[in-house]
Amino acid sequence: MSQNDDAINTEMDDEALFRAAMEGVAPLNAPDKTVLKLKKPAPRPRRKNLREQFSDAESEAVTLDIDMGDEWSFSRPGVSRQTLRRLKRGYWDTQLRLDLHGFTQEAAKRQLAAFLDEALARNIRCVQIIHGKGLSSKDRVPVLKNRIGSWLVQRGTVLAFCQARPEDGGSGAVMVLLKGQ
């Protein structure tokens, strides 16, 4: 007997064993429940250009009233209070910083957009933006602080932001939590 004959006999034995095991078994009745097969939603095309520009119209529509000594924060709907609390307490390490001291509003807007795009491209979750306290500006009003808050609210990739802890810059800086990829 050759190896081929052994293989054929083994296959026949397996088949015979299976038929013997299934003898007397009846198929299940069709269920009385309907199984819905939902279509998967069509994938949204990825943006080829990550850059989300800030619109002046939107930044005027979103105003954050901030006085010099006020602590401020923002979180998107659906972001838990615990997440914002963790951000305020420094739970996440700052992975990237941007210092906007001395920038004009227009230059700061461009720098911030490029900075956030870079952070997203590098899959960075927690960043710090240093905007200053406005002590050297006209009327000692924190102009960039107010604008940065409005610009950050416009970015869908910003989950939450808050004033930095005193040791991280206090009212002169903001901590930002970004969406992961």
Side-chain angles (χ1 to χ4, degrees):
M1 202 178 212
S2 72
Q3 286 183 337
N4 286 341
D5 291 339
D6 286 340
I8 292 172
N9 286 339
T10 305
E11 286 178 27
M12 293 176 90
D13 290 341
D14 288 343
E15 196 173 312
L17 284 172
F18 177 75
R19 289 187 192 279
M22 293 294 119
E23 192 174 330
V25 174
L28 294 173
N29 293 332
D32 60 347
K33 296 178 184 176
T34 303
V35 177
L36 295 177
K37 291 185 179 179
L38 300 176
K39 291 182 180 178
K40 290 183 180 178
R44 291 185 298 179
R46 285 194 95 156
R47 289 180 181 225
K48 290 182 181 175
N49 183 1
L50 284 175
R51 183 161 291 209
E52 276 184 74
Q53 293 300 324
F54 304 114
S55 128
D56 286 326
E58 287 179 29
S59 87
E60 295 302 324
V62 180
T63 55
L64 300 172
D65 294 324
I66 307 163
D67 291 327
M68 270 191 19
D70 287 350
E71 285 194 25
W72 57 305
S73 61
F74 166 82
S75 64
R76 291 233 175 268
V79 174
S80 71
R81 288 183 189 170
Q82 181 182 16
T83 300
L84 185 57
R85 210 173 310 127
R86 283 179 171 175
L87 184 62
K88 287 179 179 180
R89 292 180 181 162
Y91 178 81
W92 289 279
D93 289 332
T94 302
Q95 297 171 292
L96 203 56
R97 283 184 175 79
L98 173 66
D99 190 345
L100 295 174
H101 277 106
F103 280 82
T104 64
Q105 288 183 46
E106 202 53 43
K109 184 192 293 189
R110 284 192 307 272
Q111 288 291 320
L112 180 61
F115 175 75
L116 293 174
D117 289 340
E118 178 188 351
L120 289 170
R122 292 173 51 187
N123 201 26
I124 290 176
R125 297 291 312 277
C126 186
V127 298
Q128 181 185 43
I129 300 164
I130 303 165
H131 47 70
K133 297 180 181 183
L135 300 178
S136 59
S137 68
K138 187 178 179 181
D139 300 326
R140 299 176 71 95
V141 176
V143 177
L144 281 183
K145 180 177 185 175
N146 293 333
R147 286 297 196 187
I148 286 171
S150 297
W151 295 331
L152 290 173
V153 168
Q154 291 180 44
R155 293 288 288 244
T157 54
V158 172
L159 294 177
F161 62 85
C162 65
Q163 179 175 302
R165 297 178 300 167
E167 59 268 27
D168 294 327
S171 64
V174 62
M175 303 303 298
V176 182
L177 184 64
L178 301 170
K179 279 184 183 178
Q181 288 184 349

